[in-house]
Amino acid sequence: MVRSKSGITNIAIFIVLAFILSISEIVRLVTDYWWFDALGFSRIFMISLTAKLLLFAASALFFLIFLLGNLWISSKANPSKSEIPSKLKIVIALILSFFVGLASSQKWFVVLQYLNQETFNLQDPIFREDVAFYVFSLPFIHAVRSFLMACLVLTILLVLLDYMQSFIIRMFKQAQVSTPVGEEGPIYDVSFQSAITGMKRNALAHLAVLGSLFFILLAANHYLARFSIIYSEKGIVVGAGYTDVMIYLPITKILMILALFIALLCYVWIFFLSGKQDPQKSGILTYAVVFYLLVIFIGSTAVPGIVQTYKVSPNEISLESPYLENNIKFTKIAYGLADVEERTFPAEMNLSREVLANSQETMDNIRILDWRPLVQTYKQMQEIRLYYDLSGIDIDRYEIDGKYTEVLLAPREMNQNQIVSKTWVNLHTVYTHGFGVVMSPVNSITSEGLPNYLIKDIPPVYTVNEPKLKIEKPQIYYGERDNEFVLVNTRTEEFDYPKGDSNEYIQYDGRGGVQLDTTMKKLLMAIRFMDIKILLSSDITLNSRIMFERNIKDRISKITPFLMLDRDPYITICNGRLVWIQDAYTVTGNFPYSEKSGSVNYIRNSVKITVDAYDGDVTYYISDTADQDPIITTYARMFPDQFKSFDQMPDELKKHVRYPEDLFQIQSNIYNTYHMSDVKVFYNKEDAWQIPREVYGTSQQVQVDPYYIIMKLPGESNKEFLLMRPFTPIKKNNMIAWLAARSDGDDYGKLLLYKFPKEKLIYGPLQIEAKFDQDSVISEQLTLWSQQGSSVTRGNLLVIPIEDSILYIEPLYILAEAGQLPELKRILVSDGERVVMEKDLDSALDALFGKGGTRTRPVKTGEDGEPWSTEELITEANNYYDAILDSMGTNWTAFGENFERLGDVLDQLREE
């Protein structure tokens, strides 16, 4: 009775300690549920949690029963009571079962995918299995096999330990040895010798049964290993090649049969034991295992290597051709490159003023502002206060004054790391949000080389009368910054924005965050964040809300960790609110015969995700149909009613959906090689391409990134928003083609490849950069600026198709030695033969093609965006004249710049 009470007490203490240790996880689980529920995704949370718990319980229970059953057999197989207490065995079994169940619960997503899978309607050419088998079924089967093998191996080790300890301890305790006088050697008790022999036979029989199960699982492993050739990267083929199919597959079949044969031999071996024959005299099992290991060693290394070297390599093109065809076909399908529309671009290089005038829609949106130098300009001119951050500049398009306009847009987010007084109240209840955005067109600058703002300052100042740009809710609670949790709608007013010598304050009136309407919620949130002030603060009311996980990428990943996110979410103005758009991808690394990019070999941009910057609402829109991406169809089955159709996206948001840059970058990198469909050409890499390089920044060479542009494609009637990237032949610098991804309307997602005639030399970006450097006027001016302490920064070189010709444009920024404000001072332009450097694009085009363009130079504008009056222009001209006199003979750079600015003002005066 005392022992029973003591056991119960120990179990109770263990349970209490386990609860205390796991309380933080329980708190996180409960508060996470509140977070999911507030966003409307409690179903995803509950489905995921239920799957984990069921998998944990089933796996732990299975292992516990299997282990305890075998330990009971091992105990009964011994002639006397085991030295290890049964209670200890049970405790060990419970602990191990817990960890086995915990490990198995991590496979919840694999199980749900398997149960809800959608077919691809595409079969692999070797085993004739649907691709869904490799993406959904095979990972599940591997998970089951691994679980069973882990259970079996752990059981064998514990059973073996049980037999060994019983035998050794009993040997020393029960052996009775006496040595009579005059005789040598011990005399063992005969009954004990029988006990040892009996125990040995029973133990070996038990272990033989477990061994047979082990080899059955090995046979299953060999069967599954056959499918691994679909991902093989040996030789020149990605996927199964000649050696894999002709050599490796037969070897795996042999190994599977051998493993099953050894499993059968284990039972034959038991027969020898029951027949009271010495099992050691029957070495067939040992010989079989040695032969099996020998076949593994020779079959997996030596034989395939010999065949590859002496048969395949000398006849590679003929033997590997059908497998290369599979590789090309499946890689194109996996990366969405099977339907690339190829067109010929004549590259006549006959640009003229007339051609430019006919392409005015393209010319009106040429991006002369580079977003990277512009970050510093935005930060210096528009951050307003130290705690604001304008690092994230995005490119989008809007209808402004009836014109389709490409713009640069940056949210003004709160950077809590820059708050000077980091008190608890300031961090969590006062400085809670950013404010507004900054917007400027990509093609317009002031005479000082600074952007012409469409939206600027705090509160927002609009320089154009465009209703769609008006922002009713400029507060940004959710963004790209990793800020602390905040408490809103408290008795403490939130800082809204600075206003002169004072500040404006607000009270939050949205639905973002978790409402702290009970003491229990405040208590658990205090435990979660290890912050007792959440519980004790008198400023927190029943209407207060706590916002956490405010980084939009972290927020989305918490809801749907199975989606891969694009690196660059971008903010939009939609119906008076600021809304983030995040591109998400369905990916797998299990697509047959497909080359890998990193860890994945299949990718689709199947989901567009929006996050409201004020409320934090997250909405998922499926952008691909089911027949294009079975993976997203599977996810929609797993989590019903959590993904919306793309048709349900507001029309205003649809206008800002764009082809994602990360996807396009992966596709263009893959297409370098896989544009070649002819097997012989592919094998010899005769027509392999590469991404060109350009000179960027001061002097370093970098790879040309994809860039967005509004233009009218050759042969098309309307301008559209595109993402494009040029190609050059491998190890050469001349251009060979360019790839474009369409982003507008019904054409969204279509890829177009424009190929240049191979008999023509079309200069690539690096060759045009060399032309700029070799021009005496340009090189002298660059050298002069550098010698006078200014930093010269070269922006992106844009390759812009104009009808059937190419125009090259590169912005040039000057950063004064003591300044941090890059100014766009020159535009480098080339038509492929001639190069010019002028102060603006119009001047450069005039220098190349003569006057007569329809574009106008930048004009002086006031704070309201309106052109200056005649009196203001005269005053400005006098100021520049005085500056010229002051700098004459002392600072020739300033002299030249002021002289140019004076010319701009005089030009504008002439137009008055």
Side-chain angles (χ1 to χ4, degrees):
M1 181 67 70
V2 175
R3 282 188 178 182
S4 176
K5 289 182 179 180
S6 176
I8 294 173
T9 302
N10 290 336
I11 292 173
I13 292 173
F14 175 79
I15 293 173
V16 170
L17 288 174
F19 176 78
I20 293 173
L21 292 174
S22 62
I23 191 168
S24 62
E25 289 302 318
I26 294 173
V27 167
R28 179 169 290 275
L29 194 67
V30 174
T31 53
D32 275 350
Y33 173 76
W34 292 336
W35 185 86
F36 274 83
D37 188 51
L39 283 171
F41 292 105
S42 59
R43 192 166 187 178
I44 288 182
F45 180 88
M46 291 308 300
I47 289 173
S48 304
L49 180 62
T50 303
K52 291 175 184 178
L53 291 176
L54 288 176
L55 203 54
F56 171 85
S59 302
L61 185 62
F62 176 87
F63 176 68
L64 181 65
I65 293 173
F66 184 73
L67 177 59
L68 288 178
N70 279 277
L71 288 177
W72 179 81
I73 292 173
S74 65
S75 299
K76 293 296 182 181
N78 287 317
S80 59
K81 188 177 180 180
S82 171
E83 296 299 323
I84 298 179
S86 298
K87 290 182 180 179
L88 180 59
K89 291 181 181 180
I90 294 173
V91 170
I92 293 173
L94 286 171
I95 293 173
L96 288 176
S97 297
F98 174 81
F99 286 107
V100 168
L102 202 62
S104 297
S105 67
Q106 303 305 309
K107 297 294 184 180
W108 66 274
F109 190 72
V110 174
V111 175
L112 288 183
Q113 279 191 126
Y114 172 74
L115 295 175
N116 295 276
Q117 63 180 279
E118 170 70 19
T119 60
F120 280 71
N121 294 319
L122 175 67
Q123 292 182 336
D124 82 275
I126 305 301
F127 301 105
R128 300 297 174 185
E129 295 282 357
D130 189 90
V131 171
F133 171 77
Y134 299 97
V135 176
F136 304 124
S137 299
L138 198 57
F140 170 76
I141 297 170
H142 275 298
V144 172
R145 183 204 60 82
S146 298
F147 166 72
L148 294 175
M149 183 63 81
C151 291
L152 185 59
V153 169
L154 286 173
T155 301
I156 290 174
L157 291 175
L158 288 172
V159 166
L160 187 62
L161 181 64
D162 192 31
Y163 281 125
M164 292 297 293
Q165 65 85 26
S166 300
F167 175 77
I168 293 171
I169 294 175
R170 196 174 292 108
M171 180 82 136
F172 285 100
K173 281 190 174 182
Q174 296 184 11
Q176 298 179 2
V177 180
S178 60
T179 306
V181 179
E183 295 186 15
E184 296 181 358
I187 300 176
Y188 294 93
D189 181 81
V190 176
S191 62
F192 181 60
Q193 287 181 335
S194 301
I196 293 176
T197 302
M199 183 194 68
K200 184 177 180 182
R201 292 182 183 277
N202 292 335
L204 291 177
H206 184 194
L207 292 173
V209 172
L210 294 176
S212 71
L213 295 177
F214 178 80
F215 279 98
I216 289 172
L217 287 178
L218 283 181
N221 187 58
H222 291 308
Y223 175 80
L224 295 175
R226 301 182 315 140
F227 301 108
S228 66
I229 65 170
I230 294 297
Y231 317 118
S232 172
E233 295 184 2
K234 300 173 184 176
I236 63 167
V237 181
V238 176
Y242 180 88
T243 303
D244 296 314
V245 174
M246 298 301 174
I247 304 300
Y248 183 76
L249 279 183
I251 289 174
T252 56
K253 290 180 181 178
I254 293 171
L255 289 172
M256 181 178 66
I257 293 171
L258 278 175
L260 290 174
F261 178 70
I262 293 173
L264 181 62
L265 281 181
C266 288
Y267 293 100
V268 174
W269 201 61
I270 295 173
F271 168 76
F272 281 110
L273 289 175
S274 62
K276 301 194 177 189
Q277 301 181 41
D278 188 353
Q280 296 180 359
K281 292 181 180 179
S282 176
I284 186 172
L285 182 60
T286 303
Y287 298 146
V289 172
V290 171
F291 181 69
Y292 169 76
L293 295 174
L294 191 62
V295 172
I296 289 178
F297 175 75
I298 296 175
S300 60
T301 56
V303 175
I306 292 171
V307 172
Q308 184 70 33
T309 302
Y310 295 103
K311 180 175 178 59
V312 178
S313 294
N315 308 283
E316 204 163 42
I317 184 63
S318 60
L319 294 178
E320 299 285 23
S321 286
Y323 307 108
L324 283 172
E325 286 181 0
N326 297 332
N327 178 201
I328 295 170
K329 174 186 174 182
F330 278 78
T331 297
K332 284 184 174 182
I333 293 172
Y335 289 95
L337 297 170
D339 298 321
V340 175
E341 183 181 346
E342 293 191 5
R343 299 179 181 178
T344 300
F345 192 86
E348 297 295 341
M349 306 308 287
N350 55 0
L351 282 174
S352 65
R353 267 298 180 185
E354 291 72 26
V355 172
L356 297 182
N358 292 333
S359 304
Q360 199 61 46
E361 293 172 321
T362 299
M363 299 302 297
D364 284 342
N365 280 285
I366 289 179
R367 178 164 63 88
I368 60 175
L369 287 171
D370 192 309
W371 69 269
R372 280 167 283 200
L374 198 63
V375 167
Q376 288 300 320
T377 303
Y378 271 23
K379 291 175 77 69
Q380 289 292 316
M381 298 184 67
Q382 285 295 313
E383 281 189 344
I384 312 297
R385 291 290 187 272
L386 183 65
Y387 40 73
Y388 285 130
D389 180 67
L390 276 166
S391 297
I393 296 181
D394 300 305
I395 297 175
D396 202 355
R397 71 282 196 200
Y398 289 80
E399 287 283 345
I400 300 175
D401 291 335
K403 294 182 178 180
Y404 202 39
T405 305
E406 187 174 350
V407 300
L408 295 157
L409 186 67
R412 189 183 289 105
E413 294 194 57
M414 175 64 67
N415 182 0
Q416 290 186 327
N417 293 327
Q418 296 298 323
I419 296 174
V420 176
S421 178
K422 292 185 176 66
T423 64
W424 188 87
V425 172
N426 280 344
L427 287 175
H428 299 294
T429 64
V430 177
Y431 294 95
T432 57
H433 59 271
F435 196 93
V437 299
V438 177
M439 179 190 286
S440 60
V442 298
N443 63 335
S444 179
I445 58 171
T446 66
S447 57
E448 290 83 10
L450 300 174
N452 263 323
Y453 295 108
L454 299 172
I455 304 176
K456 61 180 180 177
D457 299 342
I458 300 177
V461 173
Y462 305 91
T463 61
V464 292
N465 186 21
E466 180 56 58
K468 291 181 180 179
L469 297 184
K470 304 298 181 183
I471 306 172
E472 298 174 4
K473 287 288 186 183
Q475 293 82 11
I476 301 175
Y477 286 89
Y478 300 88
E480 296 184 82
R481 300 291 311 180
D482 292 319
N483 286 319
E484 299 273 353
F485 72 87
V486 294
L487 297 157
V488 297
N489 207 10
T490 66
R491 293 188 177 95
T492 302
E493 289 187 316
E494 299 173 53
F495 165 77
D496 198 23
Y497 61 87
K499 186 177 182 181
D501 296 331
S502 62
N503 296 324
E504 287 290 316
Y505 293 87
I506 64 162
Q507 282 285 340
Y508 181 76
D509 61 356
R511 59 176 180 271
V514 176
Q515 187 172 351
L516 299 176
D517 50 2
T518 65
T519 304
M520 177 60 69
K521 285 186 177 180
K522 291 199 292 184
L523 173 63
L524 295 190
M525 288 296 179
I527 295 173
R528 177 188 178 114
F529 294 105
M530 303 295 288
D531 194 336
I532 192 63
K533 293 178 183 177
I534 297 175
L535 183 63
L536 301 179
S537 176
S538 59
D539 288 338
I540 299 176
T541 69
L542 295 178
N543 294 319
S544 298
R545 311 180 79 90
I546 183 169
M547 296 180 177
F548 56 98
E549 301 289 357
R550 296 194 294 145
N551 178 288
I552 57 174
K553 294 182 73 172
D554 294 343
R555 192 173 186 80
I556 293 168
S557 294
K558 190 177 183 69
I559 299 170
T560 49
F562 44 85
L563 293 175
M564 188 174 85
L565 303 182
D566 191 89
R567 288 174 297 175
D568 184 30
Y570 57 101
I571 200 162
T572 65
I573 302 171
C574 178
N575 300 324
R577 300 180 75 91
L578 296 176
V579 180
W580 294 93
I581 297 180
Q582 171 71 67
D583 285 287
Y585 308 111
T586 52
V587 298
T588 182
N590 299 324
F591 200 88
Y593 265 114
S594 177
E595 174 136 2
K596 283 198 172 183
S597 175
S599 60
V600 305
N601 64 358
Y602 170 96
I603 184 169
R604 288 289 187 276
N605 177 218
S606 295
V607 186
K608 302 288 186 181
I609 307 169
T610 63
V611 181
D612 189 283
Y614 188 76
D615 286 331
D617 293 337
V618 182
T619 309
Y620 293 80
Y621 297 98
I622 296 178
S623 59
D624 259 341
T625 57
D627 60 332
Q628 292 174 311
D629 184 21
I631 293 182
I632 193 58
T633 305
T634 298
Y635 293 167
R637 287 178 181 173
M638 290 164 58
F639 306 107
D641 304 324
Q642 303 299 293
F643 295 90
K644 293 184 178 181
S645 167
F646 188 72
D647 295 335
Q648 295 177 268
M649 179 182 282
D651 291 337
E652 190 60 32
L653 267 180
K654 287 180 182 178
K655 296 177 182 178
H656 300 287
V657 169
R658 68 185 193 186
Y659 200 89
E661 190 173 340
D662 281 359
L663 174 61
F664 189 72
Q665 203 153 21
I666 292 172
Q667 288 176 318
S668 55
N669 289 337
I670 291 291
Y671 210 61
N672 279 336
T673 303
Y674 286 89
H675 68 274
M676 298 178 285
S677 298
D678 184 271
V679 172
K680 290 185 178 179
V681 175
F682 183 89
Y683 172 78
N684 293 310
K685 301 295 186 287
E686 296 173 16
D687 191 27
W689 298 344
Q690 65 184 10
I691 304 301
R693 302 183 73 79
E694 64 174 333
V695 177
Y696 184 82
T698 52
S699 61
Q700 68 269 32
Q701 290 188 14
V702 298
Q703 201 173 68
V704 174
D705 289 330
Y707 49 89
Y708 291 102
I709 185 172
I710 290 179
M711 63 173 286
K712 185 169 68 173
L713 286 168
E716 300 292 332
S717 57
N718 297 317
K719 60 184 176 182
E720 53 187 299
F721 190 63
L722 303 168
L723 182 61
M724 63 175 291
R725 197 180 205 184
F727 296 106
T728 61
I730 194 166
K731 297 182 180 179
K732 291 186 178 181
N733 293 323
N734 60 290
M735 275 200 304
I736 192 71
W738 56 278
L739 184 67
R742 310 175 84 167
S743 294
D744 290 344
D746 295 335
D747 290 325
Y748 175 85
K750 293 181 180 179
L751 296 176
L752 299 174
L753 180 74
Y754 289 86
K755 301 175 77 171
F756 298 121
K758 292 187 177 181
E759 64 274 10
K760 289 187 177 181
L761 174 63
I762 309 299
Y763 290 120
L766 209 55
Q767 291 171 321
I768 295 297
E769 299 277 16
K771 276 182 169 287
F772 289 146
D773 292 335
Q774 291 164 8
D775 184 87
S776 58
V777 175
I778 296 175
S779 61
E780 286 176 9
Q781 184 62 63
L782 296 180
T783 302
L784 180 61
W785 278 322
S786 298
Q787 289 175 347
Q788 293 178 346
S790 297
S791 173
V792 180
T793 299
R794 298 166 83 149
N796 280 129
L797 175 66
L798 301 182
V799 179
I800 303 173
I802 306 289
E803 290 191 1
D804 58 358
S805 301
I806 296 291
L807 186 67
Y808 306 86
I809 298 177
E810 180 175 274
L812 201 65
Y813 290 84
I814 305 297
L815 181 65
E817 185 176 13
Q820 293 294 321
L821 193 64
E823 296 180 358
L824 179 58
K825 288 300 183 184
R826 295 291 186 273
I827 302 292
L828 303 174
V829 180
S830 174
D831 61 356
E833 293 297 331
R834 298 165 295 167
V835 297
V836 296
M837 180 177 73
E838 297 293 337
K839 57 185 176 181
D840 55 53
L841 183 57
D842 276 323
S843 300
L845 296 176
D846 287 345
L848 274 180
F849 308 111
K851 293 183 181 295
T854 58
R855 289 170 55 93
T856 59
R857 295 180 182 180
V859 298
K860 283 286 184 179
T861 59
E863 289 296 324
D864 57 358
E866 294 296 323
W868 282 2
S869 66
T870 302
E871 291 76 12
E872 290 173 320
L873 289 171
I874 292 173
T875 302
E876 186 72 357
N878 287 328
N879 291 336
Y880 283 135
Y881 178 75
D882 293 337
I884 289 171
L885 294 178
D886 292 338
S887 58
M888 187 181 298
T890 58
N891 187 338
W892 290 109
T893 301
F895 173 86
E897 292 176 354
N898 289 318
F899 194 84
E900 289 176 1
R901 291 171 182 171
L902 176 60
D904 290 336
V905 175
L906 294 176
D907 286 342
Q908 193 170 340
L909 272 169
R910 279 194 291 270
E911 296 173 3
E912 288 291 324

